[in-house]
Amino acid sequence: MTRSAHGDSAAFTHLVKAHSSALHGYFARRMPAVSEDLLAETWLQAFAARRTFDPARGSARGWLFGVAHNVLAQHLRRAGRTEPAPGPDVTDPWQVVDQRLDAAAMAPALRRALAELPAEERELLLLISWEQLTPSEAAAVVGIPAGTARSRLHRARGRLRDRLTLPRPAGRNLTAMGDLA
């Protein structure tokens, strides 16, 4: 980011190659119908604002997810909505996540439990679980202190844990916490 901010166009191209897949996943899990448009808008805004990147405040990845978060919020405001809620039509393209879930039994329950979380707790949890940001990076994305993010993340995980313990036919309990834990 720093090299890009100082006019090195190849450096920005490297950022696009390195982070497009993760940013696209962020949008695809929240707004699949417009994920491509949101990704393009994110890169336009990131390029325009690249000189505002401050490495002392966090990683380029965290900064880019902050831009993506703002692009999503702008899109939702224009559409008259305040938040995306994971719906039954949202699927996770990461097979490793699907493998950790007993998909047929757990996916609908997970989506319902995520939708029931307060918006900020859900966003923190998803930024950390799906987008692999650190709690500090996720806190910066949503604009709260890191300590507050950690306590809200703890609360969100507890709520999910309570909601996602399902009985199995053999009597053993099954949980879907995986990366969410």
Side-chain angles (χ1 to χ4, degrees), residues 150-178:
R150 282 189 285 277
S151 70
R152 290 183 184 164
L153 179 62
H154 177 76
R155 200 168 31 244
R157 286 175 172 161
R159 288 179 182 166
L160 282 181
R161 205 173 290 114
D162 292 345
R163 290 181 176 115
L164 293 177
T165 302
L166 301 176
R168 286 188 115 174
R172 296 186 340 239
N173 285 338
L174 175 68
T175 61
M177 292 309 292

Side-chain angles (χ1 to χ4, degrees), residues 52-89:
T52 67
F53 172 71
D54 179 2
R57 295 184 62 202
S59 69
R61 180 180 170 85
W63 184 82
L64 287 168
F65 273 99
V67 173
H69 177 77
N70 291 335
V71 165
L72 179 60
Q74 291 166 1
H75 173 77
L76 291 170
R77 277 192 300 274
R78 283 191 304 268
R81 294 172 54 190
T82 57
E83 63 183 66
D89 61 330

Side-chain angles (χ1 to χ4, degrees), residues 33-106:
V34 294
S35 59
E36 299 287 333
D37 294 337
L38 296 173
L39 178 62
E41 181 62 27
T42 297
W43 286 119
L44 288 171
Q45 288 190 22
F47 185 80
R50 68 192 183 282
R51 286 179 177 78
T52 67
F53 172 71
D54 179 2
R57 295 184 62 202
S59 69
R61 180 180 170 85
W63 184 82
L64 287 168
F65 273 99
V67 173
H69 177 77
N70 291 335
V71 165
L72 179 60
Q74 291 166 1
H75 173 77
L76 291 170
R77 277 192 300 274
R78 283 191 304 268
R81 294 172 54 190
T82 57
E83 63 183 66
D89 61 330
V90 177
T91 58
D92 191 339
W94 295 352
Q95 288 185 358
V96 70
V97 174
D98 287 341
Q99 291 169 356
R100 290 185 182 148
L101 299 174
D102 181 6
M106 295 302 298

Side-chain angles (χ1 to χ4, degrees), residues 26 30 61 65-66 68-69 120-135 137-142:
Y26 172 80
R30 288 161 178 80
R61 180 180 170 85
F65 273 99
H69 177 77
E120 192 171 78
E121 287 181 16
R122 179 177 52 246
E123 186 65 9
L124 284 168
L125 187 69
L126 296 179
L127 284 167
I128 292 164
S129 303
W130 283 348
E131 315 315 335
Q132 303 297 304
L133 295 181
T134 66
E137 289 171 330
V141 168
V142 298

